[in-house]
Amino acid sequence: MGELRLMKGNEVLAEAAIRCGCDGYFGYPITPQSEVMETLMARQPWNETGMTVLQAESEVASINMVYGAAGSGKKVMTSSSSPGISLMAEGISYIAGAELPCLIINVQRGGPGLGTIQPSQADYFQSVKGGGHGDYKMIVLAPASVQEMNDFVDLGFELAFKYRNPAMILTDGAIGQMMERVELADFKPRWTDEEVKTKSGAWATVGKTTDRERNVVTSLEMDSAKMEANNLRFQQKYKQMEEEDCRYEEIRCDDAEYILVAFGTSSRVCQKSVEIARAKGLKVGLLRPITLFPFPKKAINRLAEKAKGFLSVEMSAGQMIEDIKLAVYEAGKNTRVEHFGRMGGIIPAPGEVVEALEEKFSWEISYGVKRYY
Amino acid sequence: MELKDIIKPENLVYDKSQVQTDTIMHYCPGCSHGVVHKVIAELIGELGIQERTVGIAPVGCAVFAYNYIDVDWQEAAHGRAPAVATGVARLNPDKFVFTYQGDGDLASIGSGEIMHACNRGENILVVFINNGIYGMTGGQMAPTTLDGMVTSTTPFGRNADLNGYPMKITELIAQLPGTSYVTRQAVHNAASVRKCKRAIKKGIQNVLAKKGTSFIEVVSTCNSGWKMTPVAANKWMEDNMFPFYPLGDLKDGVKGEPVSKN
């Protein structure tokens, strides 16, 4: 067993970065995630592992520092919160276009605009649908505990390098600020320059030697036919992610008639909601997507066979519900899908979720028959 | 004497640098980019640093700089080259990292990134091509467009009340303690090319010696954007650009000096 500690979610992100052999962190302070950089600066990893930590002048600069460092084949990351991620959207599009691996952490807060500093899940669309310009996707991991904050740093880098694509940890102010027991990973050494050359040096700016063509990291292609070919290759890659790296968790779904679908903080709430509903005699289960992109379509399709309805529980006006509906539709099953959410930094209470379920599916609960929409 | 008798190795007085590719340049005839590219490629070859050089290409006409200088390159978004260079240089301290930026890229949309990279004293070379106009997008006003100068977005000439004042970005940069060498050069005649080459050489050597940021402005022409012949553009530059953007060193010191010597 690894080292056990009681830590804040944001602190764990920093510790996990150091331990997984991250080469560089570039960021800009914003609530509720500033502890990530503060922890890194206090830990002084440059003395221990040689990891670089730099406070940039803006989110725009920090994501472009990540772009530069990632282009040189290194393991690099940034973290921010909702308004900051909006500023990074341009850079993320460039990173996706240039096919570079990196890790981006979004500790979400309520919006739009300056909004609130309290937790929210309203950046779902921005994270899973692209966010910046052009047809691109990110791998999006949604931790539901401080332990997963730890685990997903290494996993995020692994997937980012597997696909040469940006990966995001999409969490929120509640998980960033909460303290829980965490089992830390063992230290992994940073890649040496020689390892960089074998692992990413074929495409990275590691210095042109006479035996090869220069490496050019760019997203520019003036020839439309070639650009379309690039786009087709990207789409193929996103397809492969859906096939190989879709992750989710099912809680009491085996006999469930009603499925709550929730990720991150709202999935924690829904775990309690399942217990409350079951005590009332309602057969309720929880599907928790761990990867929001790729979205667990197949699990939804399978559950739609038996379930009388899905309730998407989100700390937003209803964003993930569109993906649930799409999955149900694409499988040719029109099981009813409803949404319940709180916004503006408010976390729903478990009882509220059960009340919403009883209200929205009152017809099915009364008559015991599946109704379609 | 026949041509084949003249073309012999012993008669060779000038050769293309091996660090320059054979790609035919897309720049307009008379443009300064080609000359500055050549100078940079020559210096990378002469200093033997091809294998440790990473260039950061800008947005604008010089976006294709990576097609001509045979080193590893990263293309940056509008104005972000100094941030990209920071990422490369911080994690690869043994590399020689330089950005190549025009005035639309560096002085306008990228004014934040250049100020902060220079202020942090990032160990990079910045080559700043200032022709006072947006070349690639079709000749619109730049921050460096002179007062009264006609562009496609200042068709009656730049008017300070309407458009603000031309910005002396290099004078601002020279005030920043992170810079070690700040200079303004040109490449419109043989003598100025030689001077510019000496300046860029000093900039590269400063980076190799880890002295902080070296910043080299090259006052340039854009004969297409200015709608002049190359010869007329050079004359116009001497008469109009040089009085406002005087050539010469603004700072030649070490990182940490608070202000320029001028």
Side-chain angles (χ1 to χ4, degrees), chain B residues 217-246:
Chain B
E217 173 179 343
V218 184
V219 182
S220 301
T221 58
C222 175
N223 40 288
S224 297
W226 293 0
K227 308 200 187 312
M228 294 175 196
T229 63
V231 174
N234 274 347
K235 175 85 171 67
W236 194 90
M237 175 170 71
E238 287 180 77
D239 293 347
N240 297 279
M241 296 281 276
F242 290 170
F244 192 76
Y245 298 116

Side-chain angles (χ1 to χ4, degrees), chain B residues 43-228:
Chain B
L43 285 166
I44 290 170
E46 287 165 20
L47 294 166
I49 53 171
Q50 187 178 13
E51 291 193 10
R52 50 191 285 216
T53 298
V54 180
I56 313 296
V59 163
C61 291
V63 67
F64 291 119
Y66 49 72
N67 285 340
Y68 312 121
I69 302 176
D70 194 19
V71 296
D72 280 356
W73 282 90
Q74 287 203 46
E75 208 290 300
H78 310 71
R80 317 294 177 226
V84 176
T86 299
V88 180
R90 286 269 175 157
L91 267 62
N92 299 276
D94 57 323
K95 299 272 190 305
F96 163 63
V97 183
F98 74 99
T99 74
Y100 188 97
Q101 303 177 262
D103 46 59
D105 189 88
L106 183 144
S108 190
I109 195 168
S111 54
E113 281 77 11
I114 193 62
M115 287 292 161
H116 287 279
C118 288
N119 195 47
R120 285 191 302 267
E122 294 298 340
N123 199 45
I124 58 171
L125 167 72
V126 177
V127 179
F128 168 44
I129 307 297
N130 176 15
N131 55 23
I133 203 162
Y134 284 13
M136 182 177 258
T137 37
Q140 295 84 4
M141 182 187 74
T144 48
T145 297
L146 296 176
D147 196 26
M149 191 170 160
V150 172
T151 73
S152 70
T153 50
T154 55
F156 307 105
R158 182 176 192 153
N159 171 349
D161 288 339
L162 186 64
N163 309 113
Y165 299 91
M167 189 181 272
K168 292 188 174 185
I169 197 93
T170 304
E171 276 77 354
L172 291 170
I173 295 288
Q175 299 297 315
L176 301 171
T179 53
S180 58
Y181 180 47
V182 181
T183 185
R184 187 181 277 126
Q185 300 291 330
V187 289
H188 63 304
N189 57 35
S192 67
V193 172
R194 280 196 294 274
K195 264 192 194 167
C196 184
K197 185 171 176 178
R198 276 200 296 276
I200 294 177
K201 185 173 185 179
K202 182 184 260 184
I204 296 175
Q205 285 170 330
N206 280 357
V207 174
L208 297 178
K210 301 199 192 303
K211 284 188 176 174
T213 317
S214 289
F215 187 97
I216 294 160
E217 173 179 343
V218 184
V219 182
S220 301
T221 58
C222 175
N223 40 288
S224 297
W226 293 0
K227 308 200 187 312
M228 294 175 196

Side-chain angles (χ1 to χ4, degrees), chain A residues 124-241:
Chain A
Y124 178 90
F125 278 153
Q126 190 191 40
S127 312
V128 307
K129 306 291 182 191
H133 59 282
D135 288 314
Y136 76 90
K137 292 272 199 278
M138 269 187 292
I139 298 151
V140 183
L141 296 161
S145 63
V146 174
Q147 183 64 54
E148 283 188 338
M149 294 282 255
N150 175 77
D151 302 347
F152 289 179
V153 172
D154 195 31
L155 176 64
F157 275 122
E158 188 191 312
L159 294 174
F161 273 88
K162 176 177 175 183
Y163 293 105
R164 272 178 65 185
N165 202 70
M168 173 177 273
I169 295 179
L170 184 69
T171 182
D172 65 58
I175 300 172
Q177 295 293 329
M178 72 163 71
M179 291 185 95
E180 283 187 315
R181 189 186 94 136
V182 58
E183 184 186 342
L184 296 170
D186 293 333
F187 279 90
K188 277 204 273 191
R190 288 173 55 218
W191 292 341
T192 61
D193 284 352
E194 282 312 303
E195 281 175 303
V196 168
K197 275 183 185 155
T198 55
K199 285 172 171 142
S200 47
W203 47 266
T205 53
V206 292
K208 182 204 177 291
T209 43
T210 45
D211 58 351
R212 70 157 166 86
E213 287 287 298
R214 63 192 173 281
N215 281 340
V216 178
V217 172
T218 180
S219 53
L220 177 68
E221 177 51 67
M222 296 294 274
D223 182 336
S224 293
K226 285 185 187 163
M227 193 64 222
E228 188 180 42
N230 285 352
N231 270 290
L232 289 169
R233 195 179 68 250
F234 299 163
Q235 295 305 318
Q236 200 54 44
K237 188 160 79 171
Y238 307 145
K239 208 68 187 157
Q240 191 193 342
M241 290 173 191

